[in-house]
Amino acid sequence: MTQVFADAVATARAAVAGAVASPRRASELAGAIRELESLARYVHSVQGELIAEAERHEVARAHGARNTGVWLQDVLRVDPGQARGRVEVAVSSAASEARRALAEGAISVEHAQVIASCVKRLPAHAAGEAPRVETVLVQRARRCRPRDLRRLANGINAGYDRRAAASEEDAQHESRELHYVTTGDGSVVVKARLDKEVGRKFIAALRPLSKPCPAHDGTPDPRTPAQRHADGLATLVDLALGSEGMPRVGGQRVQVQVTVGYDDLVRSLDSDAEGVLPGMFADGEPISVDAVRRLACDAGILPVVLGSDGVALDYGREERTAPPQLRAALFRRDGICAFPGCEHPPGTSQAHHVVEWFNGGETNPGNMVMLCAFHHRTVHSDHWNIVIEEGRTLFTPPRRIDPDQTPRPGGTARPSDHLRLVRELVPRPRQPEPAT
């Protein structure tokens, strides 16, 4: 028997190799890939029949293995989950329709595993519904990916067994965890496992904050998806720290303190200045003075500015941050972010001082502009020049970005302009003719 299968496989290999070696057009690649996938699925269905036969004859036990799944791990060199899934499909008494669809190449072995698992998890009172459930899942599997089919299967199981679904969600909640550690360079590594409810909330909150931000000229966002997600999480933290709903500690709002020398803060305005000492977080971790200047614009961070004698000259003047009425005015003028071409979602802006706050810049509309966290960092790090003229913001890029340094208008929220245009376009209603 082994030789029969070996000869059949050798013949199939030779046939496939010959087909692959033959000339083909690019337009034929998709069809060829589909045909090979259909063949692979057929092979999986045949393999499933042999696995079921091995289960019936207790071949695993004869080889000293605990069960067929463990035996397959060694025979096929696959992970435990894959081995268990193949056995589940092979031995499932209700998966005959799924196996036929697998043999046809209409569904994958992953689809078949989802179907077999769903049927197996049906409660005793719903055992008679197994054929109908399998039919529905096979029909759906022909048109969707295994991940989508798994969601449908989970919904079916939850519908038939409410207690089991609730118990599974409780188990997810019990397994929740979040770990964070500060590394040697001061960065923080976060690892978390969230239950489905909290996880969906997290995704819903993070997704709009981490979408790509292409440049005004259409240049794609240079950040990787992972970097965008990290920036989105940073914005979430800023929103939480700025929320009135945050718990208070000792009667005070949650604060992050940074201590910095005033002379260093002023000297840092010169990008070529040497010997500029960093600021310090409360735990002694250093942070560059350039970052302190950016944070001091409108973040939930209080800079403790020290004189040459080490005495605090200022402890986070309240006027440093834009009060609600000023932020509302800036939103009307600049939109969520005034940077040219930015379409960042609402509620995430930071009020940037054009003339640095510590350098005498005032907290008023003539010296402030709304920027999202990403473009706030861009303005500081790339040294964009911002001018506010007649209520409009103009952004001038550095020479490395634009050698001509052509000013670019900023701001996307122009309700007053829109209202003026509407008034100009829509004729006023005529006064009624006097009655005669």
Side-chain angles (χ1 to χ4, degrees), residues 49-336:
E49 295 179 10
L50 299 181
I51 292 173
E53 187 175 344
E55 175 77 4
R56 290 194 300 270
H57 289 88
E58 298 184 342
V59 173
R61 193 179 294 265
H63 285 78
R66 187 169 62 253
N67 54 50
T68 304
V70 174
W71 174 66
L72 274 184
Q73 294 176 43
D74 182 58
V75 172
L76 302 180
R77 300 291 190 271
V78 295
D79 291 332
Q82 287 183 299
R84 286 193 301 269
R86 296 192 191 186
V87 173
E88 192 170 36
V89 171
V91 304
S92 175
S93 59
S96 57
E97 189 172 348
R99 286 199 296 271
R100 285 197 298 271
L102 179 61
E104 296 169 9
I107 68 174
S108 68
V109 68
E110 289 82 8
H111 286 111
Q113 289 172 4
V114 172
I115 296 169
S117 176
C118 178
V119 172
K120 181 180 179 181
R121 291 167 58 196
L122 289 174
H125 68 81
E129 298 294 322
R132 190 163 68 93
V133 168
E134 182 187 8
T135 298
V136 169
L137 289 175
V138 170
Q139 291 174 348
R140 179 67 62 167
R142 293 173 181 269
R143 305 192 301 273
C144 73
R145 295 170 296 179
R147 180 179 62 181
D148 299 320
L149 185 70
R150 187 172 293 107
R151 289 169 178 162
L152 173 60
N154 289 340
I156 291 173
N157 287 128
Y160 278 113
D161 197 341
R162 174 184 173 186
R163 289 187 177 86
S167 177
E168 183 177 327
E169 290 174 355
D170 289 342
Q172 282 189 9
H173 182 67
E174 288 300 319
S175 66
R176 70 193 185 281
E177 57 182 346
L178 188 148
H179 308 276
Y180 62 90
V181 60
T182 303
T183 63
D185 63 359
S187 59
V188 177
V189 177
V190 180
K191 178 183 178 182
R193 177 186 177 88
L194 309 175
D195 60 59
K196 64 173 68 174
E197 178 182 343
V198 177
R200 292 311 183 279
K201 290 179 181 178
F202 174 75
I203 292 172
L206 186 67
R207 185 169 289 162
L209 304 179
S210 57
K211 69 176 186 178
C213 293
H216 76 287
D217 59 357
T219 303
D221 192 329
R223 298 174 296 170
T224 65
Q227 289 172 332
R228 289 192 283 105
H229 293 157
D231 290 346
L233 180 60
T235 303
L236 272 180
V237 172
D238 287 342
L239 288 171
L241 290 176
S243 170
E244 292 296 332
M246 276 291 289
R248 295 179 178 261
V249 179
Q252 300 291 325
R253 291 184 61 177
V254 176
Q255 299 172 350
V256 177
Q257 294 186 0
V258 179
T259 303
V260 62
Y262 179 76
D263 292 340
D264 295 301
L265 202 59
V266 173
R267 292 179 60 226
S268 69
L269 291 173
D270 180 1
S271 59
D272 296 325
E274 298 292 340
V276 178
L277 299 182
M280 291 285 178
F281 287 112
D283 62 359
E285 185 66 41
I287 179 173
S288 70
V289 180
D290 302 276
V292 174
R293 284 168 39 219
R294 175 173 50 81
L295 293 172
C297 281
D298 192 42
I301 292 183
L302 295 181
V304 182
V305 183
L306 304 179
S308 58
D309 55 359
V311 177
L313 295 178
D314 184 87
Y315 201 88
R317 285 179 309 196
E318 194 64 29
E319 294 79 7
R320 173 178 61 85
T321 58
Q325 63 273 22
L326 174 55
R327 292 180 70 89
L330 294 173
F331 273 127
R332 284 196 298 271
R333 186 193 71 192
D334 299 333
I336 304 306

Side-chain angles (χ1 to χ4, degrees), residues 330 333-342 349-350 368-372 375 386 392-395 408-413:
L330 294 173
R333 186 193 71 192
D334 299 333
I336 304 306
C337 177
F339 197 89
C342 181
S349 293
Q350 299 170 0
M368 302 195 77
V369 60
M370 298 305 292
L371 295 171
C372 68
H375 286 122
I386 304 175
R392 288 181 176 271
T393 53
L394 293 174
F395 290 73
R408 305 171 185 179
T412 55

